[in-house]
Amino acid sequence: MPVALVWFRNDLRLNDNPALRMALEEGYTPLPVYIHAPEEEAGWAPGAASNAWRHRSLQALDVDLRARGSALHLRTGPTAAALQDLLGEADAQAVFWNRKYEPATQPRDAALKKQLREQGLRVESANGGLLFEPWDLATGQGTPYRVFTPFWRAARARWRLPSPWQAPVRLPACDVAAPVTLSSLGLMPKRDWDRGFWDAWRPGEAGAREALEIFIDGALRGYREDRDRPDRVGTSRLSPHLHFGEIAPWRVAAALEQARNAANAAEVEAFLRELGWREFAWHLLHHFPHTADRNLNPRFDGFAWATPGAGTLAAWQRGQTGVPIVDAGLRELWATGYMHNRVRMIVASFLTKHLRLHWLHGARWFWDTLVDADLANNTLGWQWTAGTGADAAPYFRVFNPVTQARRFDPHGEYIARWVPELRGLPAAARFAPWESPALVARLAPGYPATPMVDLAEGREAALAAYRSSGD
């Protein structure tokens, strides 16, 4: 049988893998390949938390391949040279891959496809990560959607899930020299910063399937309400698995549809809508690739962002702001590589509104510390909160972190877990400890007596700056 390279990227699974399926169905012996070339991601090379996850996911993929008689072959970039070397070593006649949609990788992949086809090779790419290609949905005027609701309405009108596909239990062996080892890629943190991550996560395809099953059997019940409660297990926790392609979004959607009944139909629809936001994020990044670094709404290009003072940004990053719900979220992020979505909005609003720091400061920190760091979702989330992007929160929407904490962490349990200095306080005093100075001095002396910025003053300063930016 002729050999085909199957080039893995953020599609680290065997089931529901269109590139692998194409290679097999067209009669090729697949040579699974991963090429590490972070320098080709332009200014958004994967961060430390993503790399730590990727190390374990690649390891899991190789184990799955070896159980089927194959193996994952690792190389380092430049990608074009690595592919040429592998084509020669394996005497391969074809290359298959699943598409990526980042601004840096789309033109690179298009150039590679053209170059390889000119060499007489069979080269095919497929959609391995989205329910809709970013170019599949458009407004009645043929322009990209910039508002989620009509985008989602159009998506639901064209809702067609691909059929699930199970990889064969045996794959034909195809071996070449293996000069690159996983450890040599340098994906692991230089110090043991990530050790707390793996109590909560299981990277790899099996871990993704397990997370989906746990969600359907548990948190799906009450999802609409509980998804906003950081003190509860109310979300799917599928985001890193989806980001690394350890499970296909259509597999997730199909499982939810299969579980749908009269009692949970509204919960299922609410979760599918969240998958829709993921699709919308990639739709936007494809059509507006500059938004990873610049405002979508040019009105804010001259906005008077504050200059970070000495230690201000570091205090926010490490959860030392003196605002308990903000500090809890950022400490959860540092300890687990994850932050609850509701809290992400709160800490982002605090940074961009109360501190009035540019959203890129936050986006870069999330990019380096989140295990589910996804360029499209990260960009959409930060620009939404800052008010500079598509479907954005209006500039006058400033999350009050105390009100948010009282509403979504009503007993202060999330705060107590991640800000242990405040555990000794009564629950009612955990949300705004500066309102109970004597109590804090006695029971929580290690916590800041006041927030790094007065919340009312910070809000008014933000509103004034936004108003002055012009309509």
Side-chain angles (χ1 to χ4, degrees), residues 199-281:
D199 294 335
W201 301 106
R202 183 188 175 192
E205 187 170 6
R209 289 196 305 270
E210 181 181 55
L212 177 59
E213 291 168 4
I214 290 171
F215 172 59
I216 290 174
D217 290 343
L220 179 59
R221 293 188 293 273
Y223 175 75
R224 284 177 299 165
E225 177 182 348
D226 290 350
R227 62 179 295 271
D228 278 321
R229 293 283 299 269
D231 59 333
R232 297 179 178 174
V233 181
T235 60
S236 73
R237 296 178 66 84
L238 283 167
S239 54
H241 299 294
L242 284 165
H243 170 65
F244 286 97
E246 296 168 349
I247 193 167
W250 57 86
R251 170 80 64 159
V252 175
L256 268 290
E257 294 286 10
Q258 186 174 1
R260 185 194 290 262
N261 55 46
N264 69 12
E267 317 295 339
V268 168
E269 201 60 38
F271 183 79
L272 293 178
R273 185 179 176 88
E274 293 306 307
L275 286 181
W277 274 101
R278 178 177 180 269
E279 298 284 318
F280 184 51

Side-chain angles (χ1 to χ4, degrees), residues 19-151:
L20 177 61
R21 181 177 184 176
M22 280 194 299
L24 290 169
E25 290 183 348
E26 296 190 21
Y28 291 96
T29 294
L31 179 68
V33 174
Y34 173 79
I35 301 171
H36 187 59
E39 66 281 357
E40 296 176 12
E41 304 280 347
W44 292 95
S50 289
N51 282 335
W53 185 290
R54 187 179 300 276
H55 179 99
R56 287 165 174 77
S57 190
L58 289 170
Q59 193 172 49
L61 178 61
D62 185 52
V63 168
D64 289 346
L65 283 165
R66 289 181 184 277
R68 288 171 163 82
S70 184
L72 183 63
H73 295 77
L74 304 177
R75 291 292 189 274
T76 55
T79 296
L83 286 173
Q84 291 293 346
D85 289 345
L86 282 159
L87 286 164
E89 293 170 29
D91 192 23
Q93 299 178 20
V95 186
F96 296 89
W97 67 71
N98 294 311
R99 285 187 278 275
K100 284 169 61 70
Y101 304 94
E102 292 85 352
T105 55
Q106 286 196 83
R108 178 202 64 186
D109 292 354
L112 281 170
K113 183 180 286 186
K114 181 175 183 293
Q115 174 191 344
L116 294 169
R117 283 179 172 171
E118 288 174 350
Q119 294 175 216
L121 296 162
R122 174 75 188 280
V123 186
E124 299 294 342
S125 61
N127 173 10
L130 297 174
L131 296 170
F132 297 92
E133 295 281 24
W135 48 85
D136 279 348
L137 300 175
T139 68
Q141 293 72 44
T143 58
Y145 285 101
R146 295 169 63 119
V147 177
F148 174 74
T149 299
F151 170 86

Side-chain angles (χ1 to χ4, degrees), residues 119-365:
Q119 294 175 216
L121 296 162
R122 174 75 188 280
V123 186
E124 299 294 342
S125 61
N127 173 10
L130 297 174
L131 296 170
F132 297 92
E133 295 281 24
W135 48 85
D136 279 348
L137 300 175
T139 68
Q141 293 72 44
T143 58
Y145 285 101
R146 295 169 63 119
V147 177
F148 174 74
T149 299
F151 170 86
W152 185 232
R153 190 181 303 119
R156 287 302 268 158
R158 294 184 55 183
W159 195 255
R160 299 289 186 276
L161 296 179
S163 300
W165 179 75
Q166 295 295 121
V169 295
R170 298 295 297 173
L171 291 171
C174 180
D175 229 351
V176 297
V180 177
T181 64
L182 182 57
S183 60
S184 71
L185 299 183
L187 296 170
M188 297 297 289
K190 289 185 171 59
R191 55 194 178 94
D192 200 16
W193 158 60
D194 66 324
R195 64 186 179 276
F197 292 15
W198 316 118
D199 294 335
W201 301 106
R202 183 188 175 192
E205 187 170 6
R209 289 196 305 270
E210 181 181 55
L212 177 59
E213 291 168 4
I214 290 171
F215 172 59
I216 290 174
D217 290 343
L220 179 59
R221 293 188 293 273
Y223 175 75
R224 284 177 299 165
E225 177 182 348
D226 290 350
R227 62 179 295 271
D228 278 321
R229 293 283 299 269
D231 59 333
R232 297 179 178 174
V233 181
T235 60
S236 73
R237 296 178 66 84
L238 283 167
S239 54
H241 299 294
L242 284 165
H243 170 65
F244 286 97
E246 296 168 349
I247 193 167
W250 57 86
R251 170 80 64 159
V252 175
L256 268 290
E257 294 286 10
Q258 186 174 1
R260 185 194 290 262
N261 55 46
N264 69 12
E267 317 295 339
V268 168
E269 201 60 38
F271 183 79
L272 293 178
R273 185 179 176 88
E274 293 306 307
L275 286 181
W277 274 101
R278 178 177 180 269
E279 298 284 318
F280 184 51
W282 283 109
H283 172 90
L284 288 172
L285 189 62
H286 170 77
H287 290 289
F288 307 102
H290 67 281
T291 56
D293 300 288
R294 305 197 310 275
N295 302 323
L296 176 64
N297 187 342
R299 167 191 168 185
F300 295 99
D301 288 349
F303 181 73
W305 298 104
T307 301
T312 300
L313 186 58
W316 176 86
Q317 290 171 339
R318 296 306 177 91
Q320 300 291 343
T321 69
V323 181
I325 191 69
V326 173
D327 292 344
L330 288 156
R331 294 187 196 185
E332 179 191 23
L333 173 61
W334 185 255
T336 69
Y338 180 81
M339 188 191 300
H340 187 278
N341 187 62
R342 168 60 58 172
V343 185
R344 293 187 199 199
M345 292 189 284
I346 297 169
V347 304
S349 179
F350 184 78
L351 184 79
T352 58
K353 304 290 177 65
H354 287 98
L355 298 180
R356 217 168 75 252
L357 297 183
H358 196 291
W359 57 267
L360 267 173
H361 290 297
R364 289 286 181 186
W365 184 247

